[in-house]
Amino acid sequence: MTTYQKAIELFDYSRDLRRQFHVMPELAFKEHQTASFIAKELIRLGYQVREGIGQTGVTGILDTGKPGKTTMLRFDMDALPILEDTGHDFASKNEGIMHACGHDGHMAIGLTLARLVAENLQTLSGKVYFVFQPAEEICQGALGMIADGLFDEIAVDYALASHLWAEKPYGWIGIPDGPVMGGSSDLSIIVRGKGGHAAKPDDTVDPLKIAAHIILDLQKLISGRLSQDDKAIVSITQIEASDRKNIIADRVRMAGSLRWFDETTRDKVKTQLQDICDEIAIGFGGSAHVETEDQTIPVVNNKGLANACRQSLRVLRVDVPELKVDDQYRTHLSEDFSFIARQVPSAMLLIGASKAIDGNVYPHHHPKFDIDERSISLAVASLMQIVTTLHAQKGD
Ligand SMILES: [Zn+2]
Ligand SMILES: [Zn+2]
């Protein structure tokens, strides 16, 4: 039986798990029911389980008893503060909380894979280390687990993660070399002018006008000043000015997000941002100050490992004619697997999973977000195929 056929044989198990998790979504660091469900299942499958790592994190180790590599497989557990609008009969029972990013599917992938690994132990060597992580959505779960001993008492050779990806269809798998998901920094811009009466704008330097010019010109100026390779995104998402209709404010605060793939580009964009804000603000007789604070770093795939992953996925083509392994795709969305990936050679696989509701495919974090459940099996088969390659028993 092929690995894909084994994963498909467990499809009902995977789908039921996904739907059980979907019904009971929990927010970051509050994944108590979810974590205890996972811990029980891992124990039932024969794993050596630790709970409460980084608050609600769960880990499970399966030792083949034979010398070999140790691979960490990381899955995230948290949901989002969103009121679900899918109309599913397995829709969220926790009102105002929803698995709208696919993490319900990720946990189903994780437990199905844990079962496959346990059932095929005789063909593997080394140790397989399952990690169910809290609080990915607020970028704190991975760091929390690392601080709480994720890497203690076990030498990890490789780490793998996957994310179901609504932008792409079933059969598509994205796994480039180098950066695959972006770093993110919070951005704040304070514009100062001279406030006054709304009836006498000529006596003021209106910081709101300066801010409006900055918002309108920022994208154009940033992209004009960076080279094609320096891919970065700047989005202004918040603005605060006067709280009175008849007062022109002294200062305006804008905030937003900066997304980047490498630190050199991030620093270039920061400098350009300050230059652009200076030029515009000074032209109006005001001033502007830019501040950024890093939230996450990019997820960087290890070249050798990403290549080994792509090679091992080839055999899936026999069972999945739609298979398309993409080694070029990158996204500016962020993932805190980045903090694990900077410690050990790692690879993140994006697994196409788009599913239309009412004729539309809704993006991650949308109240109508959904996934193609077949992609859970394809993710299980892909990761199992890679684990089998990395943990192949060497002949003696
Ligand atoms: Zn998300
Ligand atoms: Zn996510």
Side-chain angles (χ1 to χ4, degrees):
M1 203 188 288
T2 64
T3 305
Y4 183 78
Q5 286 162 351
K6 286 180 189 172
I8 287 294
E9 229 184 25
L10 295 178
F11 176 75
D12 289 354
Y13 174 74
S14 304
R15 185 200 49 214
D16 292 351
L17 283 169
R18 183 256 163 163
R19 294 185 178 190
Q20 279 183 66
F21 288 126
H22 195 88
V23 171
M24 50 175 239
E26 294 172 294
L27 293 174
F29 289 130
K30 298 205 169 93
E31 311 90 338
H32 299 288
Q33 258 190 298
T34 307
S36 85
F37 181 101
I38 288 169
K40 268 190 213 124
E41 188 62 6
L42 287 173
I43 290 166
R44 193 183 71 81
L45 293 169
Y47 284 75
Q48 196 187 314
V49 171
R50 288 204 296 163
E51 290 177 75
I53 302 175
Q55 301 187 41
T56 40
V58 180
T59 64
I61 297 176
L62 205 57
D63 189 345
T64 64
K66 288 160 269 179
K69 301 288 188 191
T70 296
T71 301
M72 173 190 284
L73 292 142
R74 175 281 208 169
F75 305 91
D76 42 12
M77 305 190 290
D78 56 328
L80 290 153
I82 291 176
L83 183 63
E84 178 160 356
D85 188 23
T86 58
H88 288 323
D89 53 9
F90 56 92
S92 167
K93 288 215 169 101
N94 297 338
E95 200 176 323
I97 305 177
M98 176 188 175
H99 270 299
C101 197
H103 301 186
D104 48 347
H106 298 172
M107 293 183 279
I109 294 166
L111 287 179
T112 310
L113 185 67
R115 183 167 159 185
L116 262 189
V117 166
E119 287 174 358
N120 290 275
L121 208 56
Q122 70 291 347
T123 64
L124 304 172
S125 68
K127 291 179 191 153
V128 188
Y129 184 23
F130 281 81
V131 173
F132 289 85
Q133 181 207 299
E136 188 285 323
E137 294 292 358
I138 57 167
C139 292
Q140 290 176 22
L143 285 175
M145 287 191 86
I146 292 168
D148 206 9
L150 185 67
F151 286 103
D152 296 354
E153 297 162 35
I154 183 157
V156 175
D157 295 290
Y158 311 110
L160 298 170
S162 61
H163 206 302
L164 293 166
W165 211 240
E167 243 176 66
K168 299 284 185 181
Y170 168 80
W172 178 92
I173 300 177
I175 175 162
D177 293 338
V180 51
M181 300 182 82
S184 81
S185 312
D186 285 350
L187 170 69
S188 99
I189 304 176
I190 306 287
V191 180
R192 285 178 204 282
K194 181 169 161 263
H197 200 289
K200 288 189 153 257
D202 292 352
D203 295 342
T204 69
V205 175
D206 186 350
L208 199 56
K209 272 189 200 144
I210 302 174
H213 277 267
I214 291 174
I215 293 170
L216 287 175
D217 288 348
L218 207 56
Q219 290 301 341
K220 195 175 66 204
L221 290 173
I222 287 283
S223 50
R225 289 177 198 206
L226 292 173
S227 77
Q228 281 249 295
D229 299 333
D230 295 335
K231 291 201 180 116
I233 287 181
V234 179
S235 288
I236 304 287
T237 54
Q238 296 179 321
I239 184 160
E240 271 169 39
S242 170
D243 58 0
R244 293 292 159 87
K245 289 187 200 98
N246 60 352
I247 296 173
I248 290 171
D250 258 333
R251 87 198 250 289
V252 164
R253 193 188 77 88
M254 293 189 278
S257 186
L258 169 61
R259 302 296 171 117
W260 43 280
F261 285 127
D262 68 82
E263 274 140 29
T264 318
T265 307
R266 176 199 62 192
D267 295 344
K268 258 193 232 172
V269 174
K270 280 184 189 173
T271 311
Q272 296 292 5
L273 265 175
Q274 184 62 61
D275 289 352
I276 291 164
C277 288
D278 280 347
E279 283 164 29
I280 296 172
I282 291 166
F284 282 95
S287 67
H289 179 67
V290 176
E291 263 183 42
T292 60
E293 193 188 336
D294 291 350
Q295 297 299 315
T296 52
I297 54 174
V299 178
V300 180
N301 281 349
N302 175 275
K303 269 190 186 181
L305 182 61
N307 188 47
C309 292
R310 290 192 296 265
Q311 299 301 326
S312 25
L313 295 184
R314 283 180 172 183
V315 298
L316 294 176
R317 197 158 279 129
V318 177
D319 296 301
V320 188
E322 305 95 319
L323 188 75
K324 184 182 182 324
V325 180
D326 185 338
D327 63 357
Q328 296 298 317
Y329 182 91
R330 289 174 175 189
T331 170
H332 276 108
L333 269 74
S334 298
E335 237 281 2
D336 75 349
F337 179 63
S338 54
F339 295 110
I340 291 171
R342 79 171 162 193
Q343 291 200 214
V344 287
S346 296
M348 161 69 82
L349 286 73
L350 299 174
I351 309 278
S354 64
K355 166 101 183 283
I357 287 196
D358 324 326
N360 292 306
V361 173
Y362 293 95
H364 293 264
H365 297 199
H366 190 283
K368 286 181 187 282
F369 172 81
D370 198 11
I371 52 169
D372 185 335
E373 288 176 328
R374 293 178 300 161
S375 303
I376 295 174
S377 300
L378 182 56
V380 170
S382 302
L383 291 168
M384 186 63 194
Q385 199 60 47
I386 294 166
V387 167
T388 308
T389 307
L390 298 175
H391 293 260
Q393 264 194 89
K394 306 275 180 298
D396 44 5

